[in-house]
Amino acid sequence: MLKLNPIKSDKIWGYELWIASTHPNGCQEDFKSFCGADYPLLVKVIQADDTLSVQIHPDDDFAVQLEGEGNRGKTECWYVLDAAPDAKLVYGLKEGVSRDELRQSIEKNELEKYLSFVNVKQGDFVFIPAGTVHAIGGGLRLMEVQQSCDLTYRFYDWGRGREIHVDKALAVIKDNKNEPAGPFKSPFECEYFSIEKIDIKGGWSGFCSGDKSNPSDVMLLYVLSSEKAVIRNAGDKTSKTISAEEIYAVAPGEKITIEGKAQILKIRAK
């Protein structure tokens, strides 16, 4: 078992913490050694004090087509850790919007009329398949699970003057039928990862199944909340106190026990 230390990246809208990453743009070397190679997921905490750009990420095929061999696409999801009372997300587009209309609205700096906004609160979950138009609004703190990819096509930036990637964004955009944003329904599963919420009241033990030589089989335990809870390997006499927003990597073949009161998210790659 390995407790992972975050890598912080300051942004104009707030900051990101890369809390489980072997990606070259923010690699936790001890985690990479623990996995033995590239881990297929990237987990972040995002603190959005201001609204992020409107973005689109490519799928696996477009990532290779537009950026070259060795690139992954980026399907992701968000778990809302904290939210201001009026916090919003951009989650898709209004129905029936054409690519020509999108391009013209960007040129006129009026894309907002085609964006679909949703209110979110603490504990909500949003699944964002590759190709979905999205943006995080200000006043939000999110935990993000995604494919290990750092490809972002900035579609619209609210007039802030940063580089945008309209042609690539329009190329990869998809008319995804978005699942409604709302309270997390455990367990969640998609093509690339699974997430299970576990409420611990007294004690819990979990075994990490899989092949020790396969990085994808490493299990992640993310702490949502903790009240005098401790974690240990099975058989260990010493325990470590856990705190909210910590994350632990568990190797295949390991059995982990948590004692106390806590909520955790168990994250597995597929």
Side-chain angles (χ1 to χ4, degrees):
M1 177 179 65
L2 177 68
K3 178 185 174 182
L4 302 179
N5 296 312
I7 298 172
K8 186 178 182 183
S9 176
D10 291 316
K11 307 289 184 179
I12 65 169
W13 40 260
Y15 63 84
E16 287 183 345
L17 301 174
W18 288 28
I19 61 174
S21 170
T22 63
H23 193 282
N25 292 351
C27 180
Q28 297 159 307
E29 294 297 340
D30 55 349
F31 183 40
K32 188 171 184 177
S33 297
F34 184 85
C35 294
D38 177 34
Y39 185 66
L41 301 180
L42 197 166
V43 184
K44 301 176 182 177
V45 171
I46 297 173
Q47 176 62 44
D49 299 320
D50 196 2
T51 303
L52 278 68
S53 60
V54 180
Q55 305 173 358
I56 307 175
H57 307 300
D59 63 16
D60 291 337
D61 291 338
F62 272 120
V64 172
Q65 180 180 326
L66 295 177
E67 307 297 339
E69 292 292 335
N71 283 286
R72 288 188 179 99
K74 186 176 174 183
T75 284
E76 62 187 345
C77 67
W78 297 325
Y79 185 100
V80 181
L81 300 172
D82 196 17
D86 59 347
K88 293 181 175 64
L89 299 169
V90 173
Y91 188 34
L93 298 168
K94 295 180 179 177
E95 291 187 11
V97 183
S98 69
R99 280 173 168 75
D100 285 342
E101 287 174 315
L102 292 174
R103 187 183 292 277
Q104 290 171 18
S105 69
I106 291 169
E107 292 172 353
K108 296 176 181 178
N109 208 36
E110 56 184 28
L111 182 65
E112 289 95 328
K113 65 182 180 182
Y114 293 126
L115 301 176
S116 179
F117 292 86
V118 295
N119 288 90
V120 290
K121 61 186 183 302
Q122 185 180 36
D124 280 352
F125 180 80
V126 186
F127 177 53
I128 306 163
T132 303
V133 175
H134 62 279
I136 301 171
L140 283 167
R141 187 173 181 85
L142 311 173
M143 191 276 293
E144 176 178 287
V145 178
Q146 58 161 91
Q147 292 177 263
S148 183
C149 167
D150 200 26
L151 296 176
T152 294
Y153 299 143
R154 194 180 292 132
F155 197 34
Y156 187 70
D157 200 33
W158 317 102
R160 286 186 286 210
R162 293 186 295 171
E163 180 185 7
I164 57 175
H165 317 97
V166 177
D167 290 337
K168 287 184 176 180
L170 288 175
V172 306
I173 194 171
K174 294 183 180 180
D175 185 20
N176 291 319
K177 303 302 180 185
N178 294 333
E179 299 180 15
F184 181 58
K185 297 178 181 178
S186 180
F188 172 82
E189 187 173 337
C190 71
E191 181 180 357
Y192 300 102
F193 49 81
S194 65
I195 305 174
E196 180 182 359
K197 185 178 181 182
I198 301 170
D199 291 304
I200 302 170
K201 299 176 180 179
W204 171 85
S205 292
F207 178 73
C208 182
S209 59
D211 183 348
K212 292 183 179 181
S213 65
N214 184 358
S216 298
D217 287 338
V218 169
M219 178 171 71
L220 299 176
L221 299 177
Y222 178 81
V223 183
L224 285 172
S225 64
S226 173
E227 186 176 325
K228 297 181 180 179
V230 297
I231 190 170
R232 60 181 171 83
N233 285 315
D236 280 0
K237 295 182 180 179
T238 58
S239 302
K240 298 177 182 178
T241 301
I242 61 174
S243 300
E245 296 194 14
E246 290 180 344
I247 191 165
Y248 294 82
V250 183
E254 280 193 290
K255 184 179 180 181
I256 298 298
T257 296
I258 297 177
E259 297 171 346
K261 185 177 181 182
Q263 285 187 335
I264 64 172
L265 295 178
K266 183 174 72 174
I267 302 165
R268 299 295 304 256
K270 298 184 70 178

